[in-house]
């Protein structure tokens, strides 16, 4: 179920990386793994984790890649496994391990309608608190993939590891400042807002949340109703049209 999501994320990554000037070769076997060989000769193994994460699996993967001379880059499905933007969240054991590897951030992927996004999620430390403030960053720049060797002091992951990462873009400190108000939403979009059951003043995060919840209810992989396919098409169209308006594109 929902395997098409990871398939499309993999296809998106392959397309983006094939256009990166520092990438020499790509390999995959139609699974959730992509092997990237850089022109420097370094190899990065990218893992797409869509449903389950475990500290033991992270350690085993790191050890296997280290022995094989590869660098490890783990990505996780944001909607299924990671907290939302602006939340305060206490990381569990596997998240803490990933944060130790990737400098207090976790690389995430998500899919909204036909759009795939790959981005860092920053777990910002709060003075005097165990919980972290969650900030979703902007999309990564695939041309900035690099490999390095790091020392981790975390007791559950102590050792020297080889990881792959991306040079970070600026954190998305806030949502777009030019969000449409109710008076600026074209009347042609009003039916789409009603379909997603949101107010005309809804923020992008609210819109995404509403779309995700409805998609879970009506996705043909989860809903056997005869009109499930048609309902998903309507939801996808509504989401795309509304988000086009937020990005400054004129909705036809």
């Amino acid at each position: 179920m929902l395997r098409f999501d990871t398939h499309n994320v993999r296809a998106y990554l392959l397309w983006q990386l094939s256009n990166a000037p520092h990438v020499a070769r790509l390999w995959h076997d139609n699974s959730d793994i992509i092997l990237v060989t850089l022109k420097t000769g370094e190899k990065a193994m990218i893992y797409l984790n869509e449903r389950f994460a475990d500290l033991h699996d992270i350690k085993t993967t790191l050890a296997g890649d280290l022995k094989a001379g590869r660098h490890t880059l783990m990505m996780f499905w944001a909607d299924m496994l990671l907290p939302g933007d602006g939340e305060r969240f206490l990381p569990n054991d596997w998240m803490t391990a990933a944060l130790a590897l990737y400098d207090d951030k976790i690389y995430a992927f998500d899919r909204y309608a036909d759009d795939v996004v790959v981005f860092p999620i920053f777990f910002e430390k709060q003075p005097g608190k165990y919980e972290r403030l969650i900030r979703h960053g902007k999309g990564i720049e695939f041309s900035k993939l690099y490999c390095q060797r790091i020392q981790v002091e975390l007791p559950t992951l102590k050792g020297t590891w080889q990881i792959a990462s991306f040079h970070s873009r600026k954190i998305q400190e806030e949502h777009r400042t030019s969000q449409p108000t109710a008076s600026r939403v074209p009347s042609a979009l009003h039916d789409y807002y009603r379909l997603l059951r949101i107010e005309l003043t809804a923020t992008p995060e609210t819109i995404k949340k509403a779309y995700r919840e409805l998609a879970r209810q009506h996705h043909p992989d989860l809903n056997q109703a005869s009109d499930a396919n048609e309902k998903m098409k309507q939801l996808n169209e509504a989401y795309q049209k509304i988000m086009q308006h937020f990005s400054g594109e004129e909705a036809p």
Side-chain angles (χ1 to χ4, degrees), residues 58-110:
I58 289 177
K59 294 170 69 173
T60 301
T61 299
L62 287 166
D65 282 342
L66 180 65
K67 184 176 181 180
R70 300 186 296 255
H71 296 74
T72 307
L73 174 52
M74 299 180 187
M75 295 183 177
F76 300 88
W77 193 348
D79 190 32
M80 294 293 182
L81 299 172
L82 296 167
D85 187 48
E87 290 185 22
R88 283 176 169 76
F89 187 86
L90 182 63
N92 58 29
D93 57 354
W94 74 261
M95 291 180 185
T96 301
L99 294 174
L101 292 168
Y102 301 110
D103 193 24
D104 283 337
K105 61 181 175 291
I106 295 177
Y107 288 106
F109 60 88
D110 227 328

Side-chain angles (χ1 to χ4, degrees), residues 67-245:
K67 184 176 181 180
R70 300 186 296 255
H71 296 74
T72 307
L73 174 52
M74 299 180 187
M75 295 183 177
F76 300 88
W77 193 348
D79 190 32
M80 294 293 182
L81 299 172
L82 296 167
D85 187 48
E87 290 185 22
R88 283 176 169 76
F89 187 86
L90 182 63
N92 58 29
D93 57 354
W94 74 261
M95 291 180 185
T96 301
L99 294 174
L101 292 168
Y102 301 110
D103 193 24
D104 283 337
K105 61 181 175 291
I106 295 177
Y107 288 106
F109 60 88
D110 227 328
R111 184 169 180 250
Y112 305 120
D114 292 329
D115 297 324
V116 172
V117 289
V118 180
F119 57 99
I121 295 181
F122 298 87
F123 286 61
E124 297 179 357
K125 294 179 180 177
Q126 304 297 293
K129 298 181 179 179
Y130 291 107
E131 292 183 334
R132 305 284 190 102
L133 177 61
I134 307 303
R135 293 295 189 189
H136 287 201
K138 296 181 180 180
I140 63 171
E141 295 182 67
F142 289 87
S143 62
K144 294 191 175 182
L145 176 67
Y146 70 101
C147 297
Q148 63 175 326
R149 195 175 179 91
I150 64 169
Q151 179 69 35
V152 174
E153 298 299 332
L154 186 70
T156 55
L157 198 67
K158 190 176 180 65
T160 301
W161 307 108
Q162 293 189 157
I163 66 162
S165 188
F166 294 94
H167 293 287
S168 300
R169 298 174 68 176
K170 288 184 178 179
I171 300 175
Q172 186 177 353
E173 295 289 354
E174 56 187 5
H175 296 297
R176 297 179 186 273
T177 57
S178 57
Q179 296 174 357
T181 63
S183 63
R184 294 207 300 269
V185 175
S187 58
L189 294 180
H190 288 193
D191 284 343
Y192 292 128
Y193 275 76
R194 281 191 286 271
L195 184 63
L196 294 185
R197 304 174 190 173
I198 53 177
E199 300 292 333
L200 295 179
T201 54
T203 64
E205 190 64 26
T206 299
I207 295 166
K208 291 176 183 178
K209 183 177 180 181
Y211 170 77
R212 291 172 182 170
E213 291 176 352
L214 289 169
R216 289 195 191 102
Q217 295 176 32
H218 299 287
H219 196 284
D221 282 353
L222 301 173
N223 190 327
Q224 302 303 312
S226 58
D227 63 346
N229 274 309
E230 182 60 31
K231 188 67 175 179
M232 272 307 304
K233 289 180 181 178
Q234 294 174 1
L235 292 173
N236 288 341
E237 180 181 2
Y239 178 78
Q240 289 173 331
K241 297 295 185 182
I242 292 172
M243 296 310 287
Q244 282 176 0
H245 184 54

